[in-house]
């Protein structure tokens, strides 16, 4: 599981814009791409593309003019990590269809189940998809405001039974 550079840079820029918000309004003083890039040591051209992408999903707006730049269009509590991650990364957990090459030689204990059988692969795929759904829910409930305020994130696995297959996964 890894965030792309675009997602990391977008989150850094949003945190800077979020810290500039005033009086419950998303619109703080606009910050130029140059200011955002210098604050975080980010490549300016790359950040320009990122900010256009964030504008296209309605998270930021651009203000033209000498004192223009970008500002949040939404309140920090309305911007979720999932929105930002999905803008740049399709998924944090990807499930491939086939077993990796060279795995045919597996000789470990499997409780009588062939680790390359369709059943084994499907069990793993189902488990990872369930974990991915839980991760998406957690990311969707975590906002820019949570990060700005350094709120601890609390979560609970509520469907542990879905992971139990008799003697474990």
């Amino acid at each position: 599981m890894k965030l792309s550079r675009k997602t990391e840079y977008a989150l850094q820029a949003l945190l800077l814009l979020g810290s500039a918000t005033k009086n419950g309004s998303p619109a703080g003083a606009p910050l130029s791409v140059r200011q955002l890039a210098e604050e975080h040591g980010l490549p300016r051209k790359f950040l320009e593309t990122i900010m256009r992408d964030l504008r296209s999903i309605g998270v930021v707006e651009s203000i033209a003019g000498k004192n223009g730049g970008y500002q949040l269009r939404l309140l920090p509590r309305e911007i979720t990590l999932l929105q930002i991650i999905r803008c740049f990364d399709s998924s944090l957990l990807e499930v491939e269809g086939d077993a990796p090459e060279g795995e045919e030689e597996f000789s470990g204990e499997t409780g009588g189940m062939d680790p390359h059988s369709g059943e084994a692969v499907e069990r793993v795929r189902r488990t990872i998809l369930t974990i991915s759904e839980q991760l998406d829910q957690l990311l969707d409930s975590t906002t820019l405001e949570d990060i700005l305020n350094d709120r601890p994130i609390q979560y609970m696995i509520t469907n542990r039974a879905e992971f139990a297959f008799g003697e474990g996964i």
Side-chain angles (χ1 to χ4, degrees):
M1 179 172 18
K2 184 177 179 181
L3 295 176
S4 69
R5 288 222 191 256
K6 277 188 167 184
T7 300
E8 288 178 12
Y9 292 170
L11 290 169
Q12 289 177 22
L14 288 171
L15 287 170
L16 190 58
L17 292 173
S19 64
T21 60
K22 297 179 181 177
N23 304 324
S25 167
L31 297 174
S32 70
V33 171
R34 181 186 53 76
Q35 290 171 296
L36 292 168
E38 287 175 2
E39 278 286 325
H40 291 293
L42 306 176
R44 187 173 170 179
K45 290 286 185 197
F46 197 36
L47 191 56
E48 286 173 359
T49 303
I50 291 167
M51 297 310 291
R52 279 194 301 271
D53 290 343
L54 290 173
R55 189 181 70 206
S56 74
I57 64 167
V59 173
V60 299
E61 60 187 357
S62 59
I63 308 298
K66 180 182 175 186
N67 296 317
Y70 286 92
Q71 60 189 22
L72 294 182
R73 185 170 175 266
L74 302 172
L75 294 169
R77 71 173 174 258
E78 298 171 323
I79 301 170
T80 70
L81 288 181
L82 186 62
Q83 281 176 285
I84 308 311
I85 291 169
R86 285 274 166 85
C87 181
F88 301 103
D89 300 317
S90 60
S91 175
L92 289 178
L93 292 177
E94 299 208 10
V95 184
E96 297 295 328
D98 298 326
E101 301 237 355
E103 292 282 324
E104 296 79 35
E105 313 265 333
F106 184 85
S107 61
E109 289 296 316
T110 62
M113 180 177 62
D114 176 7
H116 299 293
S117 71
E119 178 188 1
V121 170
E122 186 55 34
R123 283 183 182 187
V124 171
R125 184 176 295 124
R126 249 191 349 250
T127 301
I128 292 173
L129 286 173
T130 302
I131 292 168
S132 181
E133 289 168 7
Q134 292 292 312
L135 179 59
D136 283 355
Q137 288 175 16
L138 181 59
L139 292 169
D140 197 37
S141 66
T142 304
T143 66
L144 190 61
E145 183 178 70
D146 293 328
I147 298 167
L148 285 166
N149 294 327
D150 200 21
R151 286 193 193 124
I153 306 303
Q154 296 182 358
Y155 63 92
M156 179 185 334
I157 296 174
T158 57
N159 61 349
R160 176 91 176 158
E162 291 181 27
F163 293 102
F165 298 105
E167 294 181 25
I169 295 176

